[in-house]
Amino acid sequence: MTTAGTAHETTTRPGPAAARQHSLREHNLELVARAVFEVPEPLSRAGVATATGLARATVSTLVDQLVAAGLVRELPAVTGGRAGRPAVPLVPAPRTVVGLGLEVNVDYLGARVLDLTGDVVAERVVPGSFHDSDPTAVLARLGALARELSDEVTASGMTVAGARLALPGLVDPRAGTLQVAPNLGWSSIEPVPLLGLDLDVQVANEAKLAALAELAGGSDVAAPDSFVFVSGDVGIGAAIVVDRRLFLGERGWNGEIGHVVVDPAGPRCSCGAFGCLEQYAGKEAMMRAAGLPADAPLADLVARLRADDADLPAGRALGSALADFVNLIDIGTIVLGGAYTELLPWLRADVEAALTERVLAAPFVDLQVRAAQAGPHAALTGGAREVLARVLADPSAWV
Ligand SMILES: [Zn+2]
């Protein structure tokens, strides 16, 4: 997990015996909520009792509390069960408690609200250019966008449980600090107060949140258990998922594949070094190589590629950087997100050739390069999902 801290503190302080009672109830509430949220087909109260091993009467009381809290919804009863008694299917409640994902990236600001069913309830993505920008002004602007969205959903009767702010750089979620985001030109700041939001907001790395969105699965294909997620935009970030969990290194500062060296004699990067991958396979580098303005929309590049009117030399550089990654960490599935998802048809051959050529284990493993399923601006979805995961981990705070 990239996050830490407690979102909702209880206000009462029970004595030791009551505490035991209280925490048992909290634990059981979480079990019941998870049983409802984490199954593909809706369960009835009896189904939840079977799944959790809790007594039917206990489950019924807890389900009533989750329904009253707006976390769980009862569908119309269906008959035809073995005992002949109608069963009431239980599902996550739509449009009640929602999570807010926020993002500052080099060429857009975004805010997205997800409800407990995983539906996008509202969103705004505003294009811009935030190279070497002023964090105070940019975060105030994103804060205003977030407030607008939050007011909108609150007016519709929803409750915003909190927010995650995705940033393209090194962040310390515990301290709430951004160490450095080279493309934004930001360093050593505390971003959350600059948003000016009256919400529990935590910071996280953009690629890590996008990988969590990917892990939740797309509409077509379930996510693999282990993969390298590469988020290719102006900057290039990566996240390593092992057995369905983020591998974070010592501080969560791994995955900086954009600053892997492609050519030490290459052009200077925003990080200060020379010949980093971003200078060859970042979005602006790809635009320039195709003869387009650096800030042209991705659709322009795709149109040129479709018309066979441009080259995409980024694939070789990306492939060789990925081969280094795979040689080091032994994960054979690579999921390409951000701008790479749409560009994959023109990147695939070069990426796969580089992997085959450079990964020592290539003849013995099934190396796979896939398009991300999580959709555009996946960090917004990952952030909102993280907020809702916290609600689910402690539903008693809402009961
Ligand atoms: Zn660099």
Side-chain angles (χ1 to χ4, degrees), residues 179-232:
Q179 269 59 27
V180 63
N183 283 303
L184 297 176
W186 297 3
S187 61
S188 305
I189 59 163
E190 270 187 69
V192 172
L194 300 176
L195 290 167
L197 290 174
D198 187 21
L199 280 173
D200 168 47
V201 186
Q202 296 188 15
V203 290
N205 171 268
E206 177 270 333
K208 308 285 192 299
L209 286 181
L212 288 174
E214 188 69 18
L215 195 52
S219 50
D220 301 349
V221 193
D225 287 344
S226 299
F227 58 94
V228 177
F229 184 90
V230 185
S231 179

Side-chain angles (χ1 to χ4, degrees), residues 258-259 269 271 276:
H259 304 288
C269 179
C271 74
C276 294

